[in-house]
Amino acid sequence: MSREMPGSVVNSLRVLALLVATSGVITLLTWLMSDDILMTWAEGNPTAQEILAQGGIEALRADQISPGFVALAVVAFVGFALLSLVLGAFLAGGFPWARWVLTATAFMGALVVTVCLQNQMPTIFVVLSVLLILLGALLVVLLWRKDTTAYLRDDV
């Protein structure tokens, strides 16, 4: 017999879905704005500035010095989306350890986003990064409510 999930667990799963969706938007924007991101990265790199001055953005894009921001974003997104799917399923199933892992994931995500915010990204990335931090905080609050705790303490 299946037991009913409390609102805090349902809302935790919704917030988790919003985190994944927002991460997906950031991944898409990373692809669409890859030249802007590359230019921002090049500002702090004298070698990249030299390549940019000699051959333009095309030369910089083709050079091995340029990081693969799009590939990194896609891999990170796929990994996060799959992890969220699995952890969300275990949370819905009432496994208490899923709350701990989701909490740690939210804190690690906030740390990564904070590091990214220090790199002077385009404004849309800053706005979405702040949204990720707020959603992560909301997720943690929902995960540690009394009704979530009661749901997770019952026999699975």
Side-chain angles (χ1 to χ4, degrees), residues 15 83 114:
V15 170
L83 179 67
T114 303

Side-chain angles (χ1 to χ4, degrees), residues 20-56:
V20 171
T22 304
S23 297
V25 169
I26 290 172
T27 302
L28 179 63
L29 287 173
T30 300
W31 175 62
L32 294 174
M33 299 177 69
S34 59
D35 285 349
D36 295 330
I37 295 169
L38 193 58
M39 294 295 285
T40 300
W41 168 80
E43 288 175 11
N45 188 314
T47 305
Q49 284 294 317
E50 185 179 319
I51 295 167
L52 196 57
Q54 291 175 359

Side-chain angles (χ1 to χ4, degrees), residues 4-118:
E4 189 173 330
M5 281 189 285
S8 61
V9 174
V10 172
N11 288 330
S12 293
L13 295 173
R14 288 178 180 152
V15 170
L16 189 58
L18 283 173
L19 280 164
V20 171
T22 304
S23 297
V25 169
I26 290 172
T27 302
L28 179 63
L29 287 173
T30 300
W31 175 62
L32 294 174
M33 299 177 69
S34 59
D35 285 349
D36 295 330
I37 295 169
L38 193 58
M39 294 295 285
T40 300
W41 168 80
E43 288 175 11
N45 188 314
T47 305
Q49 284 294 317
E50 185 179 319
I51 295 167
L52 196 57
Q54 291 175 359
I57 189 72
E58 294 81 17
L60 184 58
R61 229 185 282 126
D63 198 283
Q64 286 184 329
I65 192 174
S66 299
F69 292 113
V70 174
L72 178 62
V74 169
V75 169
F77 170 71
V78 169
F80 176 65
L82 292 173
L83 179 67
S84 297
L85 180 67
V86 170
L87 291 175
F90 279 112
L91 179 69
F95 291 87
W97 59 265
R99 171 170 60 176
W100 286 99
V101 178
L102 282 168
T103 300
T105 302
F107 281 116
M108 290 302 295
L111 178 65
V112 168
V113 168
T114 303
V115 169
C116 291
L117 284 173
Q118 295 174 351

